[in-house]
Amino acid sequence: MKSNKTAIKPTRAENYPEWYQQIIKAADLAEVSPVRGCMIIKPWGYAIWENIQRVLDEKFKATGHKNLYFPLMIPLSFMQKEAEHIEGFAKECAVVTHSRLAVNEEGKLTPANPLEEAYIIRPTSETLIGDAFSRWIQSYRDLPVLVNQWANIVRWEMRTRMFLRTTEFLWQEGHTAHATSEEAMQETHAMLDVYAQFAEEYLAMPVIKGEKTASERFPGADNTYCIEAMMQDKKALQAGTSHFLGQHFSKSFNIKYLSAAGKEEFVSTTSWGVSTRLIGGLIMTHSDDNGLVLPPKIAPSHVVILPIIHDDADRESILTYCDKLASELRELRYHGRQLGVEIDTRDLPGGEKAWSWVKKGIPIRLEIGKREMAAQQVSMSRRDKDYKDRQALSHNEIVKIIDAELDDIEAHLFLRAQTFQQENTQTITNFDDFCRFFEGDGGFALTYWNGDAAIEAEMKQKLGVTIRCLPLDKADMRGKCIFSGQANARMVIFAKAY
Amino acid sequence: MKSNKTAIKPTRAENYPEWYQQIIKAADLAEVSPVRGCMIIKPWGYAIWENIQRVLDEKFKATGHKNLYFPLMIPLSFMQKEAEHIEGFAKECAVVTHSRLAVNEEGKLTPANPLEEAYIIRPTSETLIGDAFSRWIQSYRDLPVLVNQWANIVRWEMRTRMFLRTTEFLWQEGHTAHATSEEAMQETHAMLDVYAQFAEEYLAMPVIKGEKTASERFPGADNTYCIEAMMQDKKALQAGTSHFLGQHFSKSFNIKYLSAAGKEEFVSTTSWGVSTRLIGGLIMTHSDDNGLVLPPKIAPSHVVILPIIHDDADRESILTYCDKLASELRELRYHGRQLGVEIDTRDLPGGEKAWSWVKKGIPIRLEIGKREMAAQQVSMSRRDKDYKDRQALSHNEIVKIIDAELDDIEAHLFLRAQTFQQENTQTITNFDDFCRFFEGDGGFALTYWNGDAAIEAEMKQKLGVTIRCLPLDKADMRGKCIFSGQANARMVIFAKAY
């Protein structure tokens, strides 16, 4: 492939949304299903989700949370109990109304046995869990309750895009109950920190921790906190949220406890979640015009060995050499799991074979032909470097340095994404610059805002931008609102968003 | 507790079905939810499922299968494509007919936005997966396809019982496509073997591998194979199934490939699954009148340390001693995971505390009071032995022998269950004995049957028994049918079943 050609058409610069779809296709991560707005997550994509699950699950357990499982279907009467919750979720949901199918005169299947009370497929589980908490919690001795579930969720989205917004998606939802609001707020922040660390250390995706404005809050929350990442088109992606629910749900569901002092009190609750959307964020943070780029800590496999066989007489000896190297590499562990090593023995031209792995984003490719075998060497290429950039290493060397190389790739991807984010974040002090910024290339605009929701709505309508968050590391900063001129305004980030 | 009292009321002998419900409650495994026929799986129960998942997932991957994920909702038109499949699953399913809720005049939420085509919540995924296979498979080079998904399933069951039969349940469903029927049949048996080994080696649950008769076959299968276990009430539990689907689904969904010889052929497919029902089987195989009994390899935790504090002055030193022991034990691994160690520091009387862990089925209890601490000892009790049976061990000893003790418990539980199964299995050679057997205590009746479905139906109606399977290890045996007198009949197992 010549340097002016790319494996993915269109390129990011040509058509970013279409490039995104083509990356998913080229890497074989997922495909559109015959079910409206739902995707089929294919093995290479699902393995990324398994790695996300494994790491986060360990972190949740290490912080005292236990997994459990609540039903998929929620009775309508439960949704009815929390007014804001209805408002937020009733708009878009799958409603189960029948419990049987019958065959009609035309021989077609049709719904039969109407239910007395309809159910919705969970868009989130606060209501069912609130009801359970009210039964489980009696005394201060029962607190805190710290639980989590890995589950599928359905929200009837109008416009869907694979991984970023699908009718059904996979997620985890943590739910906790505490004796005091201070403790619940501490939990809300602790889990936000878990998400931020995970995003940066594993997905190599720099994020900004912040608080949402009222208009972007979770329906039924006192405060919603988020991690926001910048994609390569400079738009923001909300990658995880942690909600301080205060006593909204404990009052709707009557979750009370007897305090040590013998007084009846309402608990304070939290909930927090990340979803398969993280995979969309991962794709858009690192991938390039040649395909997917995967941070090694979360990649399904770390290394592919590509035997290069020009002469059938060499086949067996080259494959034996490759198998031996694979076995040695598979003895190694990388960040808590066995090093993943593929050997591609397909009968394809070498270039085509190598490019298929470039597109799949595997961090390291090792080519082994007759020459390499004779010299007890491998030819190493890294996915974060140019396709033609190869390094000859001895067999012994590669086994020794592979984890350092992977760490280096991970660090490089993070640094590259962080630099991109910083270069496209601008502190803006007047409204004209603000408009120019978003009429131009855009990015993250750090500005002062007086807290007026009408301004938010106006900017959304006028420039298509929203307040992504009030960054926590700038929570103390105060200045003049660029929209109203009002003093003592807080610092926020405006951006276009997914 | 006196020896004639039991922690669980009623006992197995008094009322087996109610005993089962009380075990689940006492061990805090799950509870009935406000959603009809669905349960909430609580942390102690869910951790068992996580262990089942972890071990089976490794076995699936080691045999070349990859995980993926298909949508929850299946368009009605897909169900329509496989006639037997409709017959089997359309009777009992959750039908999604609307995509929104509206508030009616009375302020109540009601379904809105009727869908053009209704969906059912997956009762199994052969149809969606068959459709995908028809797109993924073009050439013999694409075969075999070996995939699996961990998912939730909804079947609108009329009579539900926690873990054994619930409207929603969790399972895995493996789906494979092969070039030849021989290869598909090989896969069907290989996965049945995986299930059987897992049940026996991890759940300590002896099983019989067999083939189902036509009347008990999966809708759309050529052959269904199963593992059947005997519960303590001598009834059979189908604990896992593996289906040879032949070309049923490849013909319904047009899954064809171009062979190496350039000929267009239909693939042969298989599917196989186990579910949270395994937990029901686990409970009914080992538990006793004092609560749950857990095989160590699948227990959420292996050991509980119970500090016995009579004098507040000793509290700190005893707790420090317990913590030290816990840390040492947690350094150990047991069958692929960290040894799970709990310390129960609750302010409860020692007996009550110990009994709560007996009921939860934890394999080993270690009591540590002032006397034990002074002697650098622990007092060990095993869940598979009498409550009062204690063994004094030195601190160093317990760390050394703990995994051997756990293995011994696992082996003991298996042996006990196997003996029970053998004692309650009888070879029956005439119809009078057959009737007497099932009018009495019952169990597994090994008999010859001529293959006539009318006899099956009659026995079900008359004695409430069904053919559980044609045991594979007796596939070659032939004899006189005890119902018809016909010669050359095959050997089957009749039993009452869950």
Side-chain angles (χ1 to χ4, degrees):
Chain A
M1 185 149 314
K2 303 238 178 76
S3 57
N4 57 344
K5 285 203 184 165
T6 59
I8 303 297
K9 281 281 164 199
T11 63
R12 286 164 291 182
E14 286 163 1
N15 183 342
Y16 193 84
E18 181 56 25
W19 163 85
Y20 175 74
Q21 303 294 339
Q22 290 304 320
I23 292 282
I24 290 171
K25 193 175 171 183
D28 206 20
L29 294 174
E31 64 181 38
V32 169
S33 83
V35 183
R36 193 201 151 285
C38 295
M39 61 182 170
I40 297 167
I41 309 180
K42 297 184 78 175
W44 195 252
Y46 196 78
I48 298 174
W49 182 240
E50 288 182 300
N51 287 335
I52 290 173
Q53 285 190 296
R54 184 180 46 80
V55 177
L56 280 177
D57 199 65
E58 269 174 27
K59 288 180 188 283
F60 298 157
K61 284 174 178 157
T63 46
H65 304 85
K66 295 194 173 187
N67 287 336
L68 42 47
Y69 188 75
F70 276 85
L72 170 73
M73 296 185 286
I74 301 180
L76 288 200
S77 57
F78 277 70
M79 290 304 285
Q80 194 98 33
K81 290 190 188 177
E82 222 295 323
E84 290 183 32
H85 213 63
I86 297 176
E87 200 48 47
F89 289 109
K91 290 173 201 155
E92 36 178 54
C93 59
V95 191
V96 175
T97 56
H98 295 71
S99 68
R100 192 188 254 272
L101 295 177
V103 181
N104 68 11
E105 310 91 72
E106 297 157 33
K108 278 206 156 182
L109 288 172
T110 48
N113 272 27
L115 296 171
E116 267 182 48
E117 183 179 12
Y119 293 97
I120 66 165
I121 304 300
R122 62 184 158 220
T124 182
S125 303
E126 277 75 9
T127 54
L128 270 185
I129 293 180
D131 175 65
F133 279 4
S134 74
R135 281 177 279 119
W136 297 351
I137 298 167
Q138 307 297 332
S139 139
Y140 70 96
R141 287 193 195 86
D142 301 324
L143 295 170
V145 176
L146 308 171
V147 296
N148 174 66
Q149 78 174 0
W150 294 93
N152 51 346
I153 289 294
V154 173
R155 295 178 188 172
W156 213 274
E157 301 284 355
M158 282 304 107
R159 295 178 55 188
T160 57
R161 201 181 303 196
M162 279 194 285
F163 290 114
L164 296 174
R165 179 170 275 114
T166 47
T167 298
E168 181 187 4
F169 57 92
L170 304 181
W171 83 347
Q172 60 67 218
E173 48 182 321
H175 294 270
T176 70
H178 307 264
T180 66
S181 68
E182 292 71 26
E183 213 188 287
M185 187 56 100
Q186 213 163 40
E187 167 81 5
T188 310
H189 282 284
M191 299 324 288
L192 188 72
D193 287 345
V194 165
Y195 290 155
Q197 279 164 20
F198 171 74
E200 300 203 332
E201 287 174 20
Y202 284 82
L203 306 181
M205 182 167 81
V207 293
I208 292 166
K209 289 190 286 186
E211 186 178 348
K212 287 286 180 193
T213 63
S215 70
E216 301 254 335
R217 231 175 249 154
F218 178 78
D222 276 1
N223 309 80
T224 285
Y225 299 88
C226 61
I227 52 171
E228 295 280 330
M230 183 187 284
M231 304 295 98
Q232 290 180 74
D233 59 354
K234 301 171 195 169
K235 283 165 81 170
L237 184 86
Q238 176 183 302
T241 48
S242 186
H243 313 294
F244 173 72
L245 303 174
Q247 298 188 330
H248 277 243
F249 287 89
S250 62
K251 284 182 175 159
S252 306
F253 288 89
N254 202 30
I255 318 172
K256 283 193 268 195
Y257 72 98
L258 209 61
S259 75
K263 219 179 124 200
E264 205 164 60
E265 311 259 17
F266 284 106
V267 302
S268 295
T269 66
T270 83
S271 68
W272 28 275
V274 296
S275 74
T276 34
R277 181 170 233 226
L278 282 177
I279 299 175
L282 186 74
I283 297 168
M284 290 203 294
T285 300
H286 303 298
S287 300
D288 61 23
D289 295 335
N290 287 325
L292 186 66
V293 176
L294 287 167
K297 285 190 199 164
I298 219 74
S301 278
H302 302 98
V303 179
V304 63
I305 297 176
L306 300 164
I308 311 291
I309 301 162
H310 291 297
D311 186 341
D312 252 0
D314 302 326
R315 179 178 299 272
E316 214 183 299
S317 58
I318 291 178
L319 290 181
T320 307
Y321 182 71
C322 290
D323 278 337
K324 185 169 167 288
L325 177 62
S327 304
E328 286 173 46
L329 291 172
R330 286 185 187 128
E331 294 285 309
L332 306 174
R333 290 181 72 79
Y334 184 68
H335 289 276
R337 62 188 164 116
Q338 192 189 16
L339 198 76
V341 182
E342 313 268 339
I343 307 184
D344 189 345
T345 58
R346 287 177 299 170
D347 208 5
L348 289 175
E352 192 179 326
K353 212 193 269 195
W355 274 103
S356 77
W357 290 99
V358 170
K359 287 189 269 186
K360 285 179 95 72
I362 202 156
I364 289 179
R365 306 187 302 280
L366 301 176
E367 292 188 347
I368 297 175
K370 194 176 178 179
R371 206 177 48 195
E372 283 80 10
M373 182 177 63
Q376 291 281 304
Q377 285 193 334
V378 300
S379 170
M380 181 183 76
S381 316
R382 282 171 44 160
R383 182 60 183 89
D384 61 329
K385 296 191 174 174
D386 191 82
Y387 176 70
K388 289 182 189 151
D389 198 342
R390 268 141 222 240
Q391 195 183 347
L393 289 169
S394 79
H395 181 124
N396 293 338
E397 236 171 334
I398 184 70
V399 177
K400 265 186 220 145
I401 66 153
I402 192 95
D403 62 338
E405 284 294 328
L406 292 168
D407 278 347
D408 195 56
I409 296 173
E410 182 91 24
H412 177 214
L413 295 182
F414 180 76
L415 191 67
R416 195 163 73 179
Q418 194 182 42
T419 305
F420 183 83
Q421 191 212 77
Q422 284 164 354
E423 284 174 355
N424 292 288
T425 299
Q426 210 167 298
T427 305
I428 292 181
T429 52
N430 69 74
F431 185 62
D432 283 350
D433 288 351
F434 184 83
C435 294
R436 250 192 305 277
F437 184 69
F438 285 115
E439 282 153 11
D441 278 353
F444 284 3
L446 277 165
T447 58
Y448 289 107
W449 166 71
N450 67 352
D452 181 359
I455 293 171
E456 265 185 295
E458 194 191 330
M459 291 307 114
K460 187 169 182 178
Q461 206 259 317
K462 195 170 164 172
L463 295 167
V465 298
T466 49
I467 298 178
R468 300 321 304 151
C469 65
L470 292 79
L472 295 186
D473 66 352
K474 297 179 177 61
D476 297 333
M477 289 176 73
R478 294 292 182 276
K480 200 172 83 172
C481 171
I482 65 159
F483 306 100
S484 66
Q486 221 171 298
N488 209 27
R490 289 186 60 181
M491 181 149 271
V492 300
I493 293 176
F494 270 97
K496 291 181 180 157
Y498 278 94
Chain B
M1 184 151 314
K2 304 237 179 75
S3 56
N4 58 343
K5 285 202 184 165
T6 59
I8 303 297
K9 281 280 163 199
T11 62
R12 286 164 290 181
E14 286 163 1
N15 182 342
Y16 194 85
E18 181 57 24
W19 164 84
Y20 175 73
Q21 303 293 339
Q22 290 305 320
I23 292 284
I24 290 171
K25 193 174 172 184
D28 206 19
L29 293 174
E31 64 182 39
V32 169
S33 83
V35 183
R36 193 201 151 284
C38 296
M39 61 181 170
I40 298 167
I41 308 180
K42 298 185 77 174
W44 195 251
Y46 195 78
I48 298 173
W49 182 240
E50 288 182 300
N51 287 335
I52 291 173
Q53 285 190 296
R54 184 180 45 78
V55 177
L56 280 178
D57 199 65
E58 269 173 27
K59 288 179 188 285
F60 298 157
K61 283 173 179 159
T63 45
H65 303 85
K66 296 197 171 184
N67 287 336
L68 42 46
Y69 188 76
F70 276 84
L72 171 73
M73 297 185 285
I74 301 180
L76 288 201
S77 57
F78 277 70
M79 290 305 285
Q80 194 97 33
K81 290 190 190 177
E82 222 297 322
E84 290 182 32
H85 212 62
I86 298 177
E87 198 49 46
F89 289 110
K91 290 175 202 156
E92 36 177 53
C93 60
V95 192
V96 175
T97 56
H98 294 72
S99 67
R100 193 187 254 272
L101 294 177
V103 180
N104 68 10
E105 309 91 72
E106 296 157 34
K108 279 206 155 182
L109 289 172
T110 48
N113 272 27
L115 297 171
E116 267 181 49
E117 182 179 15
Y119 293 98
I120 66 164
I121 304 300
R122 61 181 160 221
T124 182
S125 302
E126 276 75 9
T127 55
L128 270 183
I129 293 180
D131 176 66
F133 278 4
S134 75
R135 279 177 280 118
W136 298 350
I137 297 166
Q138 306 297 332
S139 137
Y140 70 95
R141 288 194 194 86
D142 301 324
L143 294 170
V145 177
L146 308 171
V147 297
N148 175 65
Q149 78 174 1
W150 293 94
N152 51 346
I153 289 294
V154 173
R155 295 177 187 173
W156 213 275
E157 301 284 355
M158 280 306 106
R159 295 178 56 188
T160 58
R161 200 181 303 195
M162 279 194 284
F163 292 114
L164 296 175
R165 180 169 276 114
T166 48
T167 299
E168 182 188 4
F169 57 92
L170 305 180
W171 83 348
Q172 60 67 221
E173 48 182 321
H175 295 269
T176 70
H178 306 264
T180 65
S181 68
E182 292 71 26
E183 213 188 286
M185 187 56 99
Q186 211 163 42
E187 166 82 6
T188 310
H189 282 285
M191 299 323 288
L192 188 72
D193 287 345
V194 165
Y195 290 155
Q197 279 163 20
F198 172 74
E200 300 204 330
E201 287 174 19
Y202 284 81
L203 307 180
M205 183 167 81
V207 293
I208 293 166
K209 292 189 282 185
E211 185 177 348
K212 287 287 182 193
T213 63
S215 70
E216 301 255 333
R217 231 174 248 156
F218 178 78
D222 275 2
N223 310 79
T224 285
Y225 299 89
C226 61
I227 51 172
E228 296 280 330
M230 184 188 284
M231 304 294 100
Q232 290 180 74
D233 60 354
K234 301 171 194 167
K235 283 165 78 171
L237 184 85
Q238 175 182 303
T241 48
S242 187
H243 314 294
F244 173 72
L245 304 174
Q247 298 189 329
H248 277 241
F249 286 89
S250 63
K251 285 183 174 159
S252 306
F253 287 90
N254 202 30
I255 318 172
K256 284 191 268 193
Y257 71 98
L258 209 61
S259 74
K263 216 179 127 201
E264 206 162 59
E265 310 259 18
F266 284 107
V267 302
S268 295
T269 66
T270 83
S271 68
W272 28 275
V274 296
S275 73
T276 34
R277 181 168 232 225
L278 282 177
I279 299 175
L282 187 73
I283 297 168
M284 290 203 294
T285 300
H286 303 298
S287 301
D288 61 24
D289 295 335
N290 287 326
L292 187 65
V293 176
L294 287 166
K297 286 191 200 164
I298 219 74
S301 278
H302 302 97
V303 179
V304 62
I305 297 175
L306 301 163
I308 311 291
I309 301 162
H310 292 296
D311 186 341
D312 252 0
D314 302 326
R315 178 178 300 272
E316 215 183 298
S317 57
I318 292 178
L319 290 181
T320 306
Y321 181 73
C322 289
D323 279 337
K324 185 169 167 290
L325 178 61
S327 305
E328 285 173 48
L329 291 173
R330 285 185 188 128
E331 294 285 310
L332 305 175
R333 291 180 72 78
Y334 184 69
H335 288 275
R337 62 188 164 115
Q338 193 189 16
L339 198 77
V341 182
E342 314 269 340
I343 306 183
D344 189 344
T345 57
R346 286 176 301 169
D347 210 4
L348 288 175
E352 191 179 327
K353 212 192 267 193
W355 274 103
S356 76
W357 290 100
V358 170
K359 287 188 271 187
K360 286 179 95 71
I362 203 157
I364 289 179
R365 307 186 302 281
L366 301 176
E367 291 189 347
I368 297 175
K370 195 177 177 177
R371 205 177 48 193
E372 282 80 11
M373 182 178 61
Q376 291 280 305
Q377 285 192 335
V378 301
S379 169
M380 181 183 77
S381 317
R382 282 171 44 161
R383 180 62 182 89
D384 60 329
K385 297 191 173 174
D386 192 81
Y387 177 70
K388 289 183 188 149
D389 197 341
R390 267 142 222 238
Q391 193 183 350
L393 289 168
S394 79
H395 181 124
N396 293 338
E397 236 170 335
I398 184 71
V399 176
K400 265 186 221 147
I401 65 153
I402 192 96
D403 61 339
E405 284 293 329
L406 291 169
D407 279 347
D408 195 55
I409 296 172
E410 182 90 25
H412 177 214
L413 295 182
F414 179 76
L415 190 68
R416 196 164 72 180
Q418 195 182 39
T419 305
F420 183 84
Q421 192 212 76
Q422 284 164 353
E423 284 173 356
N424 292 287
T425 299
Q426 210 167 301
T427 303
I428 292 180
T429 52
N430 70 75
F431 186 62
D432 283 349
D433 289 351
F434 184 82
C435 293
R436 250 192 305 276
F437 184 68
F438 285 115
E439 281 154 12
D441 279 352
F444 285 4
L446 278 165
T447 58
Y448 289 107
W449 166 72
N450 67 351
D452 181 357
I455 294 171
E456 264 185 295
E458 194 190 329
M459 291 308 115
K460 186 170 184 179
Q461 206 258 317
K462 193 170 165 173
L463 295 167
V465 298
T466 49
I467 297 178
R468 301 320 304 151
C469 65
L470 292 79
L472 296 186
D473 66 351
K474 297 179 176 60
D476 297 332
M477 290 174 73
R478 294 291 182 277
K480 198 172 85 174
C481 171
I482 64 159
F483 307 99
S484 66
Q486 220 170 301
N488 210 27
R490 289 186 60 182
M491 180 150 271
V492 301
I493 293 176
F494 271 96
K496 290 181 179 155
Y498 278 93

